Amino acid sequence: MALQEFRRQVEQFLRSPREFFRERQFATSAAAGFAIVLALAIVLSGSVWYLGSLLAASTDATVTMDNPDRPPEWVCDAHGDDPDSALGDGCDEPATVERDAGSLIREAAGEYVFPVFVFSLLLWPVAGVALFAFARIAGGNGGLLPTLGVAAWGAVPEFVRLFVGLAGLRYVLGTTTFTGPVQSFPDQLAAVLAPLETPLLVASVLTLLWQWYLLAAGIGEVHDLEWPAAAFAVGIPLAGWGLLALT
């Protein structure tokens, strides 16, 4: 019974989202919305780490860089020959070292994991407030917390777009090896990603249309708006976000 009810909820969510928001109390709950957004934030931040791993595995090059274990040259000039000076420790180390470029890419990706997680969470209240403001402009009368609950469901299509994007990246990067010099990596990456531009653009447009359809249904129900007014209230901020994301 539980599985059948879940399937019915999913079908209703996909085919009749306004009924879904009307009949499912959790659908307009800010607490449930936070759970959805939190899940997306975790998946997005994890995908950054995963993408870094894909790029690292596709890289076969080294980078010459300053040795972090060697003091600055001016320190070594002044204290390198003094055995009693602690400042001269490490001056016998080479000035540069060779690092695996893949390891550096993985480390750089790791630095973005937490910022992506935080940004994903912060985007939710911003989007919710924007939808609330435009719904009121369109004549709506719903509250802010239910609007936040509805806004969170706009994250669901993002899971699909993310899956499509990662699947495409895994395919093209799995058949590619980036070689030095590292200065050519941006051009090599652009050439590898070129075949994905059209599919990813289509996926992004379909995601925005699904979000528009879904959120308009939820905003219409929460704010007691007819479809044209709800579509306007959702379409304006969503169009702005879409243009920003696609540029």
Side-chain angles (χ1 to χ4, degrees):
M1 290 295 294
L3 180 59
Q4 291 180 348
E5 176 61 19
F6 176 74
R7 291 177 59 182
R8 195 172 82 85
Q9 290 181 9
V10 172
E11 182 179 357
Q12 188 180 48
F13 175 77
L14 295 174
R15 299 180 61 180
S16 304
R18 184 141 188 171
E19 292 181 8
F20 174 81
F21 286 106
R22 181 185 306 125
E23 298 178 5
R24 313 295 173 181
Q25 185 175 1
F26 68 87
T28 56
S29 166
F34 176 75
I36 297 171
V37 174
L38 179 61
L40 180 63
I42 293 173
V43 172
L44 280 175
S45 55
S47 70
V48 172
W49 176 87
Y50 179 66
L51 178 57
S53 299
L54 288 178
L55 290 171
S58 302
T59 301
D60 183 16
T62 58
V63 178
T64 301
M65 56 188 303
D66 292 337
N67 188 350
D69 297 327
R70 178 185 170 88
E73 197 61 36
W74 64 269
V75 173
C76 291
D77 289 341
H79 303 279
D81 296 330
D82 186 355
D84 298 325
S85 175
L87 294 176
D89 291 345
C91 286
D92 56 343
E93 296 285 341
T96 60
V97 293
E98 293 290 322
R99 288 285 311 275
D100 177 61
S103 297
L104 294 175
I105 292 174
R106 188 179 288 107
E107 292 172 7
E111 294 178 357
Y112 284 94
V113 169
F114 184 70
V116 168
F117 176 79
V118 173
F119 176 77
S120 301
L121 291 180
L122 292 179
L123 187 61
W124 173 47
V126 173
V129 169
L131 289 174
F132 177 77
F134 278 96
R136 285 302 181 92
I137 292 173
N141 55 17
L144 177 59
L145 288 181
T147 304
L148 286 172
V150 169
W153 289 95
V156 173
E158 294 294 344
F159 285 100
V160 179
R161 173 162 60 173
L162 182 61
F163 174 79
V164 171
L166 289 178
L169 288 170
R170 180 176 181 178
Y171 174 76
V172 297
L173 293 177
T175 58
T176 302
T177 299
F178 299 108
T179 57
V182 295
Q183 291 81 1
S184 67
F185 278 13
D187 292 334
Q188 293 184 55
L189 182 60
V192 168
L193 297 182
L196 292 179
E197 289 183 0
T198 298
L200 291 180
L201 177 61
V202 172
S204 295
V205 172
L206 291 177
T207 297
L208 286 171
L209 290 175
W210 185 8
Q211 288 173 324
W212 181 49
Y213 172 69
L214 180 63
L215 293 176
I219 291 299
E221 185 60 31
V222 166
H223 286 269
D224 194 23
L225 293 172
E226 296 296 329
W227 167 255
F232 163 80
V234 173
I236 298 301
L238 198 59
W241 168 250
L243 290 175
L244 182 63
L246 293 176
T247 56

